[in-house]
């Protein structure tokens, strides 16, 4: 009888026969003999444990009592815990059962006497009880808490600690702790600070930071820990270990708000002094930032805006009369006074640290912000106005900048700057116009002042921005900083954003537009440099998320382009004018590219412009004298116009593409125009053919099925055609296939199959192998997301998964002469295979790669060598058995052969590959070849090309140091 049948038979017994039944004893005997597992019995009882029949359920619940009693029996502990964990997750597991199981657990001896896996099971059971039977644990109260503290005492395993900290966090937040605070604190703080470092290759993935964060959550879980923890935290702050200090400050920042002002205030003065030391003597930027964050946490606890409570420390006597929330007394006054003492020497390094502390206080509460800022500004203003302290003004303005920067993130009403507004505006705008060392810090401070939310009126904003504009007008020192400031204003997200944009449009942009001449200046003149600088500034300022500045920018520069192009000039002046127009157009393109990449909403505003351009191109190229422009008798100048057309059309959306079906047919004719001078023409029409098929396939069904089929049969597969026509037609077919493959169309793969079928063609075989590289190429960016092409996710992976097996199979099944074609195809594709895929697939192709090193084409061999270099870095064990032969063949690529087939690309690739080997291949594998390699590398040191010589130096040094 099966286990489930046995359990069912017992459940169905009449009540009178239950006591006489031997089924429980029989199951216990089977468990003891390890014929069945206790957990299987529990799982078999699952339905009965949740039965609606009380008698059936009660009979099954007896198991809870039985299992709880077995927790004290060491041999049964593990199966009993596993079974109880399952039982505790059932809906019918009630409070009574929870109390029973929890009592049995806390009565266990300390867990330190058990192995880690057993301890982990106990924590898992406790976690399950906490999740499913929390009322039962709360009913036990102090008994459970004290028992838990004794049970887990001494735990050290990080896997168990993560569970223990999670349980403890819930207990500290939700349970009544008054009678057990010290017990729970002892089992928590004993782990602080965490010193655990995971071993190398740790399979459990528990990091030191995981434990630090979990422990910190426990320490900050209850205010009852405050009086116990703060003295110990203060001791840790004085520890020599930077790691301990860092953990202490992180914990304090989390604990201060929880412990509350009443407890924290007793220690505020000492913590304030300790944190001041960390700021004034910070060892690195991270420690400084952490100390300042802790300062903010401390003082936001002591001086909350919602309460006028006066925090004190043990060294200060403050009277107990009620004060208003605006009045500041206690430890903050002492700290601010200490900072003011340092600020009296603003050029000293301690003054900078003092300002950082003042900023931390400002972030803690509005009360402290007003107090600390007012005190600091009064002092700094006094120094600024002192005629005997002129040398200190740059430092003072720098401190102004830091204080104002803190206000730009945290607006408060009323603004504590209000009393100093006029003085600051006058001081900073006048300093930006000075040619002294005060100018740059004044620019920074003025920008921060402008960014203080809802502080300056529109008129005051205009006055302040005019200070930046004056720097732009002069175009000398501070120009870049002023541009950066205007950019920050144009990108600001604040209530004043609209005012910033309007002010920049009305006052700043005209200054920069005025630097753009009506006609092109001579190259190398000051005027030439000035307009380039102005274009760069305009691009930075106008490439914002908003539409206003970009709209003005495009309209004004577009008008300037039209004026430049309309000017009737000749000779050298025409060349300068063309360069100027190019710079204007490139600037417009750069701004629109930034906005398109960012996905700005106003990008669609420029689609009508694209439609207008599309219509203009259609009229110029397709409705005029098409034969003169793009026909077989066209001049090179006309062919250049077609390249221009293709460049424009590539970036068009499908909705505005001007290419019609008749033009597609015309492209097929033009793509086989003979002669070297027609290469530009052929490239242009192939680009347009590929992108039109990719973007508008749905409307080209007849063209794809009829016209392209006819083109294949008549121009590619027709052996009666001339070799040049067939090769040109093959490249056109490859671009057609590429347009389909990029969008993962099945017809694209069928088109590639046709190309592979030409490998045995005596005329087109090797050409067909090379054109496969065009289909995989992404570097040309013709079919890309930026050009609105349909690019399917992982299309390259699908393409290579389809293609590589066919190349391997074809190579195996071909005769020796035809095998070379498959090697050429593989070599053409190698540089385009995604790296993640190459590490999986290429080791399977290693024999073909090694054979490809004998190909005559140096460019293809360079591709192979580069691929082998990647394999040597990432999966060197795959090469160890073949590396000796590979090195011999690669060394041949270091010297030009007699027929001049050598190339710089091959020599550099060979040297790069050889340089990798000493780092990844065991010395014993290549020790016999070391003298030969060094000898050949010596020859490369005298190569004619500098990049080869440079690569040879690095490679040779690696081989000199190559040893066992």
């Amino acid at each position: 009888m099966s286990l489930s049948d046995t359990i069912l038979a017992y459940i169905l017994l009449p009540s009178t026969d239950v006591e006489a039944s031997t089924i429980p004893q029989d199951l216990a005997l089977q468990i003891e003999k390890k014929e069945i597992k206790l957990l299987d019995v529990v799982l078999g009882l699952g339905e009965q444990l949740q039965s609606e029949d009380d008698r059936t359920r009660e009979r099954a619940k007896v198991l809870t009592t039985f299992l709880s009693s077995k927790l004290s029996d060491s041999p049964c502990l593990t199966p009993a815990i596993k079974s109880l964990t399952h039982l505790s997750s059932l809906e019918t597991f009630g409070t009574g059962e929870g109390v029973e199981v929890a009592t049995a657990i806390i009565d266990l001896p300390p867990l330190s006497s058990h192995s880690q896996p057993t301890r982990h099971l106990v924590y898992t059971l406790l976690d399950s009880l906490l999740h499913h039977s929390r009322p039962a644990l709360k009913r036990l109260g102090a008994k459970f808490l004290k028992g838990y503290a004794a049970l887990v005492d001494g735990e050290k395993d990080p896997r168990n600690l993560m569970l223990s900290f999670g349980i403890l966090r819930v207990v500290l937040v939700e349970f009544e702790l008054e009678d057990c605070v010290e017990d729970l604190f002892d089992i928590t703080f004993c782990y602080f600070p965490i010193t655990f470092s995971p071993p190398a290759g740790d399979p459990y993935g528990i990091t030191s930071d995981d434990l630090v964060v979990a422990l910190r959550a426990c320490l900050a879980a209850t205010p009852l820990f405050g009086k116990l923890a703060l003295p110990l935290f203060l001791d840790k702050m004085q520890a020599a270990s930077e790691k301990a200090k860092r953990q202490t400050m992180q914990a304090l920042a989390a604990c201060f708000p929880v412990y509350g002002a009443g407890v924290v205030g007793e220690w505020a003065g000492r913590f304030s002094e300790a944190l001041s030391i960390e700021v004034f003597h910070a060892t690195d930027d991270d420690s400084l930032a952490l100390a300042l964050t802790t300062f903010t946490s401390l003082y936001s606890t002591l001086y909350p805006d919602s309460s006028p409570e006066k925090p004190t420390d043990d060294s200060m006597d403050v009277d107990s009369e009620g004060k208003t929330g605006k009045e500041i007394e206690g430890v903050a006054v002492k700290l601010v006074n200490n900072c003011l003492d340092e600020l009296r020497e603003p050029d000293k390094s301690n003054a900078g640290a003092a300002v950082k502390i003042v900023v931390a206080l400002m972030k803690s509460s509005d009360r402290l912000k007003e107090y600390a800022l007012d005190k600091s500004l009064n002092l700094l203003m006094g120094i600024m106005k002192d005629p005997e302290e002129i040398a200190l003004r740059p430092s003072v303005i720098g401190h102004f900048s830091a204080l104002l920067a803190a206000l730009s993130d945290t607006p408060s009403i009323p603004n504590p700057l209000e009393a100093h507004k006029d003085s600051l505006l006058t001081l900073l705008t006048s300093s930006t116009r000075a040619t002294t060392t005060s100018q740059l810090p004044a620019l920074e401070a003025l920008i921060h002042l402008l960014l203080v939310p809802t502080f300056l009126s529109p008129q005051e904003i205009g006055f302040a921005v005019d200070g930046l504009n004056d720097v732009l007008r002069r175009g000398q020192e501070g120009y870049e900083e002023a541009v950066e400031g205007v950019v920050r204003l144009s990108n600001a997200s604040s209530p004043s954003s609209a005012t910033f944009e309007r002010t920049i449009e009305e006052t700043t942009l005209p200054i920069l537009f005025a630097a753009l001449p009506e006609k092109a200046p001579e190259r190398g003149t000051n005027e030439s440099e000035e307009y380039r600088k102005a274009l760069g500034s305009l691009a930075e300022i106008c490439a914002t998320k908003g539409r206003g500045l970009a709209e003005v920018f495009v309209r004004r520069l577009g008008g300037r382009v039209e004026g430049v192009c309309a000017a009737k000039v000749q000779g050298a002046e025409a060349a300068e004018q063309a360069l100027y127009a190019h710079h204007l157009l490139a600037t417009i393109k750069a701004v629109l590219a930034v906005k398109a990449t960012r996905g700005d909403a106003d990008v669609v505003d420029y689609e009508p412009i694209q439609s207008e351009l599309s219509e203009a191109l259609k009229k110029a190229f397709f409705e005029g004298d098409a034969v003169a422009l793009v026909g077989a008798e066209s001049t090179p100048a006309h062919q250049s116009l077609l390249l221009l057309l293709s460049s424009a059309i590539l970036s068009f959306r499908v909705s505005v593409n001007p290419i019609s079906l008749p033009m597609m047919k015309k492209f097929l004719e033009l793509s086989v125009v003979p002669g070297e001078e027609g290469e530009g023409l052929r490239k242009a029409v192939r680009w347009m053919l590929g992108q039109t098929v990719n973007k508008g396939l749905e409307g080209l069904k007849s063209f794809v099925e009829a016209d392209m089929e006819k083109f294949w049969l008549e121009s590619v597969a027709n052996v009666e055609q001339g070799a040049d026509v067939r090769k040109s037609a093959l490249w056109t077919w490859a671009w057609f296939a590429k347009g389909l493959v990029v969008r993962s169309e099945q017809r694209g793969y069928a088109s590639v199959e046709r190309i592979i079928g030409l490998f045995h063609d005596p005329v087109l075989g090797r050409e067909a192998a090379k054109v496969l590289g065009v289909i995989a190429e992404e570097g040309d960016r013709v079919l890309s997301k930026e050009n609105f092409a349909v690019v399917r996710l992982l299309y390259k992976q699908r393409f290579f998964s389809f293609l590589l097996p066919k190349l391997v199979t074809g190579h195996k099944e071909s005769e020796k002469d035809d095998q070379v074609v498959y090697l050429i195809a593989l070599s053409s594709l190698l540089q385009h295979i995604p790296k993640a895929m190459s590490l999986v697939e290429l080791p399977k192709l290693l024999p073909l790669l090694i054979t490809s090193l004998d190909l005559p084409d140096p460019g293809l061999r360079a591709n192979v060598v580069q691929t082998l270099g990647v394999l040597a870095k990432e999966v060197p064990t795959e090469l160890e058995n073949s590396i000796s032969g590979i090195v011999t063949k690669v060394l041949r690529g270091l010297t030009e052969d007699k027929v001049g087939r050598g190339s710089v690309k091959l020599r550099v690739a060979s040297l790069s590959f050889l340089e990798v080997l000493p780092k990844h291949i065991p010395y014993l594998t290549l020790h016999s070849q070391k003298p030969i390699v060094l000898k050949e590398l010596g020859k490369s040191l005298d190569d004619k090309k500098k990049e080869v010589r440079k690569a040879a130096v690095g490679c040779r040094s690696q081989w000199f140091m190559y040893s066992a």
Side-chain angles (χ1 to χ4, degrees):
M1 185 183 295
S2 66
L3 176 61
S4 58
D5 291 338
T6 302
I7 292 172
L8 183 60
Y10 176 70
I11 295 297
L12 295 177
L13 283 174
S15 300
T16 54
D17 296 338
V18 170
E19 291 187 10
S21 174
T22 61
I23 290 177
Q25 290 81 358
D26 293 339
L27 290 176
L29 184 62
Q30 288 179 285
I31 291 171
E32 186 177 347
K33 292 180 178 180
K34 298 184 178 180
E35 294 175 0
I36 60 174
K37 294 181 180 180
L38 181 57
L39 183 59
D40 294 333
V41 176
V42 175
L43 294 173
L45 285 167
E47 294 182 7
Q48 283 70 43
L49 290 170
Q50 301 183 76
S51 172
E52 295 182 1
D53 181 67
D54 291 341
R55 289 179 300 171
T56 299
R57 191 167 64 250
E58 186 62 33
R59 203 174 296 171
K61 285 183 178 179
V62 173
L63 190 59
T64 301
T65 303
F66 170 73
L67 292 172
S68 298
S69 68
K70 288 299 180 183
L71 291 179
S72 59
D73 188 357
S74 294
C76 297
L77 179 61
T78 297
I81 293 173
K82 290 181 179 178
S83 302
L84 286 169
T85 302
H86 176 73
L87 284 173
S88 66
S89 65
L90 300 177
E91 292 181 5
T92 53
F93 190 83
T95 302
E97 287 80 8
V99 169
E100 185 176 5
V101 174
T103 302
I105 293 174
I106 61 178
D107 287 341
L108 289 172
L111 290 180
S112 56
S113 60
H114 295 282
S115 64
Q116 185 277 328
T118 302
R119 301 198 308 272
H120 193 271
L121 289 174
V122 174
Y123 288 116
T124 304
L125 174 55
L126 284 168
D127 186 61
S128 180
L129 289 173
L130 198 64
H131 182 69
H132 299 288
S133 298
R134 196 169 301 173
L137 303 184
K138 288 184 177 180
R139 181 185 295 181
L140 287 171
K143 180 181 179 181
F144 170 71
L145 299 179
K146 288 181 177 291
Y148 178 77
L151 186 70
V152 304
D153 187 32
E155 180 60 66
K156 294 181 179 179
D157 188 275
R159 292 162 288 180
N160 295 343
L161 285 175
M162 288 299 294
L163 271 174
S164 178
F165 290 155
I167 294 168
L168 195 56
R169 164 76 179 172
V170 176
V171 168
L172 293 170
V173 170
E174 296 197 16
F175 284 56
E176 296 293 333
L177 310 175
E178 281 75 9
D179 297 332
C180 311
V181 173
E182 291 192 12
D183 296 303
L184 295 172
F185 180 77
D186 289 342
I187 64 167
T188 306
F189 204 88
C190 65
Y191 296 106
F192 189 88
I194 295 292
T195 56
F196 166 76
S197 295
D202 179 24
Y204 304 105
I206 296 175
T207 66
S208 176
D209 285 343
D210 293 334
L211 291 169
V212 168
V213 171
L215 177 59
R216 189 190 310 147
C218 293
L219 292 170
T222 174
L224 297 176
F225 276 1
K227 291 185 177 181
L228 299 171
L230 289 176
L232 299 178
F233 278 137
L234 188 61
D235 288 341
K236 301 295 183 184
M237 281 289 293
Q238 298 164 358
S241 168
E242 288 298 323
K243 186 175 182 180
K245 283 185 183 180
R246 191 161 296 171
Q247 287 189 38
T248 302
M249 288 190 286
Q250 289 170 337
L252 286 171
C255 292
F256 281 145
V258 177
Y259 295 167
V263 175
V264 174
E266 298 176 14
W267 298 87
R270 280 170 279 189
F271 277 114
S272 191
E273 290 175 7
L275 290 169
S276 295
I277 292 171
E278 292 302 316
V279 173
F280 282 108
H281 304 284
T283 55
D284 55 62
D285 291 342
D286 290 339
S287 297
L288 174 62
L290 186 53
L292 294 170
T293 300
T294 311
F295 250 129
T296 300
S297 176
L298 172 62
Y299 281 90
S300 63
T301 302
L302 298 175
Y303 295 86
D305 289 320
S306 59
S307 169
E309 178 183 355
K310 295 178 302 167
T312 66
D313 65 74
D314 54 358
S315 64
M316 304 188 71
D317 182 19
V318 179
D319 96 27
S320 58
E321 295 180 6
K323 303 288 183 181
T324 67
K326 297 280 184 166
E327 294 175 342
I328 302 297
E329 295 183 358
V331 66
V333 175
K334 182 179 178 180
L335 179 61
V336 170
N337 286 336
N338 290 340
C339 292
L340 295 179
D341 289 340
E342 299 295 345
L343 283 174
R344 288 186 172 87
E345 296 182 300
D347 57 333
K348 306 298 184 185
S349 60
N350 277 357
V355 167
K356 289 181 172 66
I357 293 176
V358 172
V359 168
L361 293 179
M362 291 167 59
K363 291 179 179 178
S364 60
S365 70
D366 284 345
R367 291 200 296 151
L368 279 181
K369 178 191 295 184
E370 184 172 354
Y371 175 76
L373 183 62
D374 186 63
K375 293 287 186 181
S376 302
L377 286 179
N378 283 334
L379 174 66
L380 294 172
M381 279 292 187
I383 298 173
M384 195 72 189
K385 294 175 181 178
D386 188 343
E388 296 183 1
E389 302 290 358
I390 294 177
L392 298 178
R393 288 183 179 176
S395 300
V396 172
I397 295 176
H399 299 324
F400 279 145
S401 180
L403 295 172
L404 294 171
L407 287 175
S408 64
D409 298 327
T410 54
S412 60
I413 299 174
N415 198 304
L417 275 179
E418 196 66 42
H420 305 279
K421 180 193 287 188
D422 293 339
S423 299
L424 280 171
L425 262 177
T426 303
L427 166 68
L428 297 179
T429 51
S430 62
S431 296
T432 58
R433 295 180 173 93
T435 56
T436 64
T437 53
S438 300
Q439 184 188 44
L440 295 184
L443 281 169
E444 184 72 15
L446 185 60
I447 293 160
H448 288 311
L449 182 65
L450 281 161
L451 291 173
V452 175
T454 64
F455 180 53
L456 298 178
S457 67
Q459 293 76 18
E460 290 165 337
I461 288 174
F463 178 73
V465 170
D466 199 47
L468 303 178
N469 292 341
D470 280 347
V471 178
L472 296 179
R473 288 188 189 97
R474 292 196 302 269
Q476 297 174 0
E477 187 173 357
Y479 182 91
E480 293 179 2
E481 289 77 8
V483 170
E484 182 185 348
V486 177
V487 170
R488 289 169 64 181
L489 295 180
S490 64
N491 283 314
S493 298
S494 78
S496 302
S497 295
T499 304
F500 290 154
E501 185 174 289
R502 184 173 62 254
T503 304
I504 292 170
E505 179 183 337
E506 293 174 356
T507 65
T508 306
L509 294 190
I511 297 171
L512 297 172
F513 285 132
L516 304 180
E518 293 292 335
K519 67 175 187 177
E522 291 185 21
R523 211 173 306 186
T525 61
N526 288 337
E527 192 179 6
S528 175
E529 294 301 318
E530 287 299 318
Y531 91 70
R532 295 187 191 204
K533 186 164 70 171
L535 284 176
S537 302
L538 284 167
E540 288 187 64
I541 294 169
C542 297
T544 59
K545 291 183 179 180
R547 66 179 70 235
L549 297 180
E551 184 179 357
V552 172
F553 167 81
V554 172
R555 186 176 67 250
R556 291 288 299 271
L557 255 67
R560 188 59 52 89
V561 170
E562 291 179 2
V564 170
C565 293
K568 297 180 179 180
V569 291
Q570 295 179 343
E573 193 176 356
E576 297 290 349
Q577 201 81 333
L579 179 64
Y580 183 33
H582 169 74
H583 288 159
L584 293 169
L585 288 169
T587 307
I588 296 174
K589 176 187 175 184
V591 170
L592 294 181
V594 169
K595 294 179 72 63
T597 302
R598 196 167 52 216
D600 290 354
D602 61 319
V603 171
V604 296
D605 296 347
Y606 301 100
E607 286 188 26
I609 299 176
Q610 194 178 70
S611 299
E612 292 173 14
L613 176 60
S614 174
E615 188 64 27
L617 289 171
K618 182 177 179 181
K619 290 180 179 178
F621 284 90
F622 304 149
E623 296 178 6
D625 186 1
V627 173
L629 285 173
V630 298
E633 300 175 0
S634 62
T635 66
H638 289 154
Q639 293 173 19
S640 297
L641 286 175
L642 196 62
L643 277 172
L644 177 63
L645 170 67
S646 66
S647 298
I649 288 178
L650 288 181
S651 60
F652 281 2
R653 297 175 186 269
V654 65
S655 58
V656 297
N657 194 336
I659 297 178
S660 60
L661 187 59
M663 284 309 304
M664 292 287 284
K665 296 178 181 180
K666 184 68 175 178
F667 287 162
L668 292 180
E669 297 176 19
L670 299 175
S671 71
V672 293
V673 169
E676 291 184 6
E677 65 279 0
E679 183 56 33
L681 170 68
R682 293 192 292 270
K683 178 188 289 188
V685 297
R686 286 167 189 157
W687 283 359
M688 290 188 284
L689 176 72
Q691 68 91 26
T692 304
V693 168
N694 174 269
K695 297 177 186 178
L697 180 63
E698 293 77 8
L700 295 172
K701 184 177 180 181
S702 63
F703 176 79
V704 171
E705 294 179 356
D707 295 288
M708 287 308 300
E709 180 66 22
K710 180 182 178 183
F711 180 76
W712 172 268
L713 294 174
E714 294 181 356
S715 301
V716 182
N718 186 2
V719 294
E720 295 181 2
Q721 283 280 12
D724 290 343
V725 171
R726 294 186 68 197
K727 289 179 180 179
S728 293
L730 177 60
W731 283 90
T732 303
W733 183 266
W735 272 96
F736 164 72
K738 181 173 184 172
L740 297 172
V741 167
V742 168
R743 56 181 291 151
S744 294
E745 280 286 332
Q746 191 58 41
R747 281 171 289 192
Y749 299 125
S751 301
V752 173
E753 287 244 43
R754 285 187 161 184
I755 294 175
I756 297 173
L758 295 173
F759 280 11
H760 302 285
D761 187 297
V763 175
L764 296 183
R766 299 196 175 202
E767 200 75 15
K770 291 179 181 178
V771 300
L772 290 178
V774 171
I775 300 174
E777 168 71 46
E778 284 184 325
D780 53 37
R781 310 305 298 162
V782 172
L783 297 179
S784 62
K785 289 282 188 182
E786 305 93 89
N787 288 336
F788 306 106
V790 181
V791 181
R792 301 297 184 200
L793 187 66
L794 301 178
Y795 85 89
K796 285 188 77 171
Q797 284 80 350
R798 282 192 287 271
F799 173 63
F800 283 109
S801 297
F802 163 81
L803 185 58
L804 291 179
K806 293 186 178 296
L807 297 181
V808 174
T809 303
H811 181 270
K812 290 179 180 178
E813 296 175 353
S814 299
E815 298 294 332
K816 186 173 181 179
D817 291 341
D818 288 338
Q819 285 181 337
V820 175
V821 178
Y822 288 91
L823 297 178
I824 293 172
L826 178 62
S827 303
S828 302
L829 294 166
L830 288 175
Q831 59 186 320
H832 307 302
I833 300 177
K835 183 178 178 180
M837 189 176 186
S838 68
L839 297 180
V840 176
E841 298 294 334
L842 291 183
K844 304 173 187 177
L845 305 176
L846 190 57
L848 274 68
L849 294 176
I850 296 173
T851 307
S852 298
L853 291 173
D854 295 323
L855 290 172
D857 188 319
L860 296 178
R861 284 163 59 197
N863 293 343
V864 177
V865 174
Q866 288 171 349
T867 302
L868 290 171
V870 173
L871 295 179
K873 284 182 183 177
E874 305 292 342
V875 284
T877 53
E878 299 285 350
L879 297 181
E880 284 187 18
N881 294 332
S882 312
I883 194 64
S884 180
I886 293 174
V887 169
T888 301
K889 292 189 176 188
V890 169
L891 286 173
R892 292 206 301 264
L894 294 180
T895 56
E896 297 182 358
D897 54 38
K898 294 180 180 179
V899 294
R901 292 200 186 105
S903 73
V904 175
K905 180 182 177 182
L906 176 58
R907 300 201 296 279
V908 172
S910 300
L911 289 166
S912 299
F913 170 77
L914 292 170
E915 185 176 355
V916 166
L917 299 184
K919 302 175 186 176
H920 300 280
I921 303 297
Y923 176 71
L924 292 178
T925 305
L926 285 173
H927 74 282
S928 62
Q929 289 183 286
K930 181 176 178 179
I932 302 170
V933 172
L934 288 173
K935 179 182 178 182
E936 295 300 322
L937 291 177
K939 299 176 183 178
S940 296
L941 294 174
D942 298 324
D943 197 280
K944 297 177 181 178
K945 296 292 183 180
K946 181 179 179 180
E947 57 187 304
V948 177
R949 297 195 300 272
K950 183 178 179 181
V953 170
C955 180
R956 196 172 184 228
S957 65
Q958 290 294 329
W959 277 83
F960 267 129
M961 295 185 290
Y962 194 18
S963 60

